[in-house]
């Protein structure tokens, strides 16, 4: 079965074709970073308009890349939420309409389930059960995963997501949007001993996160060290990244201890952070377990994860009806 996947939840248009026998046949991605850079963040209306311009041409490009025609497609999967409602409506409208016109099933996919299942695209995928750490610009969650569609929320951020905190702190340091990855690169030149930032909510029980206070601590440190030299910027970036990564590792360890699981999946945009990957690999090595994550190109939003999730739901006959229904807020445990 060949599934066309459409991802338009925020500022990246992702189109892919996945075959349950041959794997990924095509993957097309367009990023709107340059479009939003002048505004220092994503402008929802501009994002929606750009998805309108790019989605159909990218579908055509994916079909050409896979050397297929529309008659070869067995189903169309699209992101139905969570995300920016206008952006979601573009992908859902196009996806549902194509499925109707091509007389094939349509599958509405949860964006975060797509991220959670992205490591399944690799040659050595994780086996159930496992703990999933989902870290992106909009979400920071620890999920107990016993099977496809069986997800229990163990903890989440009560304010800023990890990726959001990265980007906001980068902006405070004068780093251009999107600043999270650039802050991490800057941190490599930082002195880890100069500043010490708090590890929020690690001094109390539980698996929830809070990163707004960490961002405020960074803002105060920046204010107290004006004017900022390049080395001071690097030192602050290092202290911030170390604190955020430590917090994620500490909470992940607690989740593993609570569940008794030996496998940890990390996915979402922040899963591309090399420091986080290294620290989690060390954690799992000490515990005699294994950490799994998608390749870098599948950490950020992409159509491949939506196509794969669509294939899983198609096999379970979990299909969308004719209504075009999107959910800007959609808890994963409601699946």
């Amino acid at each position: 079965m060949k599934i066309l996947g459409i991802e338009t939840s925020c500022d990246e248009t992702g189109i892919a074709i996945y075959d349950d026998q041959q794997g990924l046949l095509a993957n097309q991605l367009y990023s709107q970073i340059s479009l939003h850079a002048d505004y220092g963040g994503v402008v929802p209306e501009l994002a929606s308009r750009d998805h309108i311009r790019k989605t159909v041409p990218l579908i055509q490009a994916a079909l050409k890349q896979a050397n297929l025609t529309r008659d070869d497609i067995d189903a169309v999967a699209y992101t139905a939420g969570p995300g920016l409602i206008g952006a979601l409506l573009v992908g859902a409208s196009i996806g549902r309409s194509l499925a109707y016109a091509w007389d094939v099933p349509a599958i509405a996919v949860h964006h975060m389930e797509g991220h959670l299942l992205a490591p399944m695209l690799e040659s050595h995928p994780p086996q159930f059960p496992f703990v999933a750490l989902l870290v992106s610009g909009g979400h920071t969650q620890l999920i107990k995963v016993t099977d496809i569609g069986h997800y229990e929320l163990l903890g989440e951020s009560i304010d800023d997501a990890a990726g959001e905190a990265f980007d906001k702190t980068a902006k405070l340091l004068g780093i251009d949007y999107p600043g999270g990855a650039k802050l991490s690169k800057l941190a490599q030149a930082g002195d880890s001993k100069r500043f010490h930032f708090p590890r929020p909510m690690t001094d109390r029980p539980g698996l929830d996160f809070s990163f707004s206070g960490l961002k405020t601590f960074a803002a105060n440190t920046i204010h107290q060290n004006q004017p900022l030299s390049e080395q001071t910027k690097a030192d602050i970036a290092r202290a911030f990244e170390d604190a955020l990564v430590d917090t994620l590792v500490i909470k992940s360890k607690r989740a593993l201890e609570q569940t008794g699981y030996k496998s940890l999946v990390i996915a979402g945009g922040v899963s591309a952070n090399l420091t986080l990957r290294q620290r989690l690999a060390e954690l799992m090595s000490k515990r005699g377990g294994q950490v799994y994550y998608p390749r870098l190109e599948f950490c950020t939003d992409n159509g491949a994860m939506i196509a794969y999730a669509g294939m899983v739901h198609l096999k379970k006959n979990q299909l969308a009806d004719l209504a075009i229904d999107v959910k800007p807020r959609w808890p994963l445990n409601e699946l």
Side-chain angles (χ1 to χ4, degrees), residues 61-224:
L63 289 169
K64 183 177 181 180
Q65 180 184 355
N67 195 27
L68 300 173
T69 69
R70 68 182 194 179
D71 296 328
D72 298 309
I73 301 300
D74 297 296
V76 179
Y78 57 87
T79 302
L84 302 175
I85 189 166
L88 290 169
L89 280 169
V90 174
S93 298
I94 293 174
R96 191 64 195 84
S97 299
L98 282 180
Y100 182 81
W102 295 351
D103 194 26
V104 297
I107 304 109
V109 173
H110 191 293
H111 178 74
M112 296 311 295
E113 184 181 31
H115 277 303
L116 188 154
L117 296 178
M120 300 297 184
L121 294 163
E122 304 305 320
S123 56
H124 299 288
Q127 300 297 312
F128 300 103
F130 55 79
V131 170
L133 173 64
L134 303 182
V135 277
S136 67
H139 297 82
T140 304
Q141 299 177 325
L142 280 164
I143 308 288
K144 178 181 177 181
V145 182
T146 53
D147 202 349
I148 298 288
H150 295 270
Y151 312 125
E152 179 185 343
L153 181 65
L154 300 176
E156 63 182 338
S157 179
I158 61 175
D159 41 55
D160 290 355
E164 183 181 5
F166 260 112
D167 287 340
K168 287 181 176 179
T169 301
K171 190 172 184 179
L172 291 171
L173 285 168
I175 300 173
D176 293 337
Y177 169 86
K182 296 174 184 176
L183 183 149
S184 294
K185 185 176 181 180
L186 179 64
Q188 295 175 13
D191 180 355
S192 63
K193 297 179 180 179
R194 183 176 176 187
F195 299 108
H196 180 80
F197 283 23
R199 276 58 174 164
M201 294 184 71
T202 58
D203 59 348
R204 67 192 75 175
L207 295 172
D208 285 337
F209 302 90
S210 173
F211 295 115
S212 64
L214 186 60
K215 177 195 64 184
T216 301
F217 194 94
N220 291 336
T221 304
I222 291 168
H223 177 73
Q224 292 163 7

Side-chain angles (χ1 to χ4, degrees), residues 10 63 101 228 293:
C10 190
L63 289 169
L228 292 178
Y293 37 73

Side-chain angles (χ1 to χ4, degrees), residues 36 56 111 229 277 287 333:
H36 302 288
V56 171
H111 178 74
S229 66
R277 288 190 175 205
R287 295 182 59 82
N333 55 4

Side-chain angles (χ1 to χ4, degrees), residues 199 202 241-251 276 279:
R199 276 58 174 164
T202 58
E241 182 177 66
D242 283 351
L244 191 144
V245 167
D246 278 354
T247 301
L248 293 174
V249 172
I250 290 168
K251 296 285 185 164
L276 179 59
R279 291 290 312 282

